[in-house]
Amino acid sequence: MFKLPECPYCGKKLGYKASASLMSGKTMKCRKCGKLSQVKYRARCVKLAVVFAALLITLNTLMLFSENNKTLLPNIILTVGVIIIYLALTPLNVRLFEIEGQRDPEPKRKKNRRRHKKTKYNEVEFDENPLKGTTFD
């Protein structure tokens, strides 16, 4: 789930900083192959945000009611820490997809002409008893 994106055409992996900078645009041009690819990350980030929000609500509620704290400082520290972790994980959710018309067509391959060639010996028949009429008969 959490891995750095790679070019769908040539397979080049991008770095963490490059992945973070991709989040501002909708397309990316690969430096290796020079082709455009579509950037998608929002759906994955929303799912991750929902999980982190549920975790934060649960932990803050447990901390608030289980301990006799006179301040909210531990809850604030926990919340800021989880938000920093979320922001650090979002560039790992970026995925690159092909744009139609960018991929090179497959090269035509030569046909194997001998494979389809008919043999001359289609009408050859074998005797059921090859030893008939010999000394072994």
Side-chain angles (χ1 to χ4, degrees), residues 1-128:
M1 180 174 175
F2 299 112
K3 60 182 183 177
L4 291 172
E6 59 184 31
C7 177
Y9 305 104
C10 63
K12 179 186 175 197
K13 286 198 174 195
L14 278 78
Y16 183 81
K17 288 182 180 179
S19 177
S21 67
L22 285 178
M23 295 175 70
S24 62
K26 293 187 178 184
T27 59
M28 190 252 345
K29 185 174 184 180
C30 180
R31 290 183 180 181
K32 185 176 179 183
C33 63
K35 296 181 181 171
L36 292 174
S37 44
Q38 187 177 9
V39 179
K40 291 187 180 180
Y41 65 92
R42 286 195 173 100
R44 287 176 160 240
C45 287
V46 167
K47 290 176 188 175
L48 186 65
V50 168
V51 169
F52 272 90
L55 179 73
L56 267 176
I57 290 169
T58 305
L59 289 177
N60 280 327
T61 305
L62 288 174
M63 283 178 64
L64 189 63
F65 291 118
S66 68
E67 299 175 8
N68 294 327
N69 291 337
K70 295 184 179 181
T71 65
L72 293 175
L73 189 61
N75 292 25
I76 293 171
I77 291 172
L78 176 74
T79 304
V80 170
V82 170
I83 290 173
I84 289 172
I85 292 171
Y86 169 75
L87 291 176
L89 290 178
T90 52
L92 299 176
N93 285 327
V94 174
R95 295 289 170 258
L96 300 175
F97 294 96
E98 293 181 6
I99 296 176
E100 260 187 65
Q102 292 289 316
R103 186 172 284 281
D104 293 333
E106 292 287 328
K108 290 188 176 180
R109 299 178 185 212
K110 293 182 180 178
K111 293 182 179 176
N112 188 354
R113 293 184 181 131
R114 293 184 183 176
R115 184 179 70 195
H116 300 295
K117 193 174 184 180
K118 294 183 180 178
T119 60
K120 297 177 187 177
Y121 310 109
N122 284 342
E123 299 175 8
V124 175
E125 296 178 11
F126 294 100
D127 294 333
E128 284 187 30

